[in-house]
Amino acid sequence: MAIHTILTYPDPFLKRTAQPVTGFGAALDTLIADMAETMWDEPGIGLAATQIGVDLQLFIYDLEVSRDHSKVQVVCNPRFVLMEGEEIEEEGCLSVPDFTADVKRAARLVVEAQDRHGKPFTADISGLVARVFQHETDHLHGILFIERLSALKRGMFKRRFRKAQMRAEVG
Ligand code: NI
């Protein structure tokens, strides 16, 4: 198993819409195991394949940071068939280091997706799981959570990012 480098803003790969997962089997299992190790290393509670430069509609999550491969939840080719309500909570992202902000998300979701074996499933979810599904599915469509912020908050992020970049160039 290998820990991969997580791409960070403004890497152009993070803007891509990923390709559907069509091959299930040993290669996908290896990728999933690597993604889990990478996620726990940070640590984070969710990781999309696109964040490590893999062009697939795949994300994993483990809300407890269990470091137990049998507990990793795998979602391939997610599609939201219902989004209901609104909830505002603080979010962060491994691809946007050192920045968090309140993000408005649907409170409840019905999702159709496939598991690691390609088996279709439907999930009716709310709370933190629903937030993770929305955040990670956004990654698969080339959207970072900072793009979900108000223009004011996004401007704050961009100014802060530019300042940090200038410091890095000087120092
Ligand atoms: Ni993220």
Side-chain angles (χ1 to χ4, degrees), residues 51 93 135 139:
Q51 289 180 275
C93 178
H135 179 111
H139 274 302

Side-chain angles (χ1 to χ4, degrees), residues 4-99:
H4 291 252
T5 302
I6 295 180
L7 305 178
T8 56
Y9 173 92
D11 192 300
F13 199 92
L14 295 169
K15 302 283 280 178
R16 291 164 70 115
T17 295
Q19 298 298 311
V21 180
T22 53
F24 298 87
L28 191 70
D29 285 339
T30 302
L31 171 63
I32 289 164
D34 284 358
M35 283 173 63
E37 295 289 336
T38 304
M39 175 177 73
W40 292 325
D41 185 57
E42 290 285 336
I45 59 168
L47 186 72
T50 48
Q51 289 180 275
I52 57 162
V54 174
D55 188 16
L56 286 176
Q57 287 181 33
L58 159 71
F59 72 83
I60 61 166
Y61 66 96
D62 171 19
L63 302 186
E64 291 159 29
V65 195
S66 68
R67 301 179 199 276
D68 174 348
H69 284 279
S70 70
K71 290 192 177 159
V72 174
Q73 303 293 314
V74 177
V75 181
C76 299
N77 307 326
R79 202 169 66 86
F80 298 166
V81 292
L82 183 142
M83 299 176 86
E84 196 179 74
E86 266 178 25
E87 229 163 50
I88 296 171
E89 293 286 347
E90 193 175 29
E91 279 183 32
C93 178
L94 299 177
S95 292
V96 187
D98 307 320
F99 184 77

